[in-house]
Every structure is written in structure tokens, then in C-alpha cells.
Amino acid sequence: MDSYNNIRFDGERSRLQAIAELRCPQCRQGKMFKYSNWRIDKFDDMHKNCPVCNLHFEVEPGFWYGAMFVSYGFSILILLVLGLTIYWGFGDPSIWGYIIPIPIVSLLAVPFNFRMSRSVFLHLFGFVKYKPELGKVVL
């Protein structure tokens, strides 16, 4: 039993974890977005700077235009998976079996797609180095 006393659960986040949790790429602690994922009306409200390390998220003017390409890739992936699921799961229904659910799911995925594409783009193409000493502040 005593061996469990030394386990730490406050370890550093991996890059993949920080991307999935929409955290700052520099400290991996600060949240990129002001509101939770469930606030559909404010899904696009981002902090200008990281609340923990003060990193300016928009690395250069027009930086987020590149995230549109990542968003496009996510959209294609969602459409492919959904189309194949409908084809194999429902035995290739009529054209209306594709026309109705695919746009509905695509619209419902907009907040997820928007946030995740920005997080992926900033982490992979923002050229921001991870500085673990900045993330020692616990939120």
C-alpha cells in the first residue's frame, strides 16, 4: 500500500493531450478558449493570450486562415466516416439516406471542428516551443 503514495497525477501533458484538451502549446496548461465546449453560442471565443504564460495565440496576422485547411480535412474525414457508416451499417439506403444525415451531422460538428482545427494548427504549425517551466502554475 505504501508504494502508491509516490504516484503523481499532476504530470506534464503530452503534445497530443494538449491538442485534444485545447491547451496552450507553450505551457500546456492555459486554455485556448474562454468557454467550455458545450457553450454552442460562444464556441469561437478565444483568449487573445494564454491565461498562464501570456503567449499570444495569433502568432502572426492572418494565422488562423491556415486552420481552415485543417478544418477542411476534418470535415472530409467526418463525411467519409459517416458516408461509409451509412453505406455499410444501413445497407446502402436511397439517396435521401445520405442527403439528410450528412449535412445535419456536419452542422453539429462545426464547434468541434472549429476548435480542434485551431488547436492542431497552432500546435503543429505555430512553431511555438514547449517550455515546461511555464506550466508549473496549477489551474
Side-chain angles (χ1 to χ4, degrees):
M1 284 289 197
D2 292 331
S3 63
Y4 293 115
N5 292 338
N6 295 329
I7 294 177
R8 289 185 53 202
F9 292 107
D10 61 343
E12 296 176 1
R13 285 181 176 87
S14 68
R15 175 182 268 188
L16 190 60
Q17 223 177 350
I19 290 172
E21 294 177 4
L22 308 171
R23 302 289 180 153
C24 170
Q26 183 167 275
C27 66
R28 295 185 184 164
Q29 295 294 322
K31 294 181 179 183
M32 291 176 57
F33 292 90
K34 293 179 182 178
Y35 300 99
S36 73
N37 294 336
W38 306 112
R39 287 289 306 265
I40 303 290
D41 58 331
K42 297 186 186 247
F43 73 88
D44 61 338
D45 283 351
M46 276 186 79
H47 293 287
K48 295 227 183 274
N49 296 328
C50 174
V52 175
C53 69
N54 205 31
L55 170 74
H56 190 67
F57 288 134
E58 190 172 8
V59 178
E60 60 186 33
F63 178 73
W64 296 124
Y65 287 116
M68 289 190 308
F69 294 104
V70 177
S71 176
Y72 178 72
F74 281 150
S75 295
I76 295 299
L77 183 66
I78 289 169
L79 296 179
L80 270 172
V81 168
L82 187 59
L84 292 173
T85 302
I86 291 170
Y87 179 78
W88 282 317
F90 296 97
D92 191 21
S94 70
I95 191 70
W96 291 105
Y98 295 97
I99 290 177
I100 293 173
I102 289 179
I104 291 171
V105 171
S106 297
L107 286 173
L108 291 175
V110 166
F112 166 80
N113 195 349
F114 178 86
R115 287 173 169 236
M116 195 55 65
S117 62
R118 284 199 172 194
S119 180
V120 167
F121 193 70
L122 181 60
H123 278 266
L124 299 182
F125 302 108
F127 302 108
V128 178
K129 299 241 188 260
Y130 172 52
K131 297 178 184 172
E133 65 275 3
L134 294 175
K136 296 297 180 196
V137 178
V138 179
L139 294 177

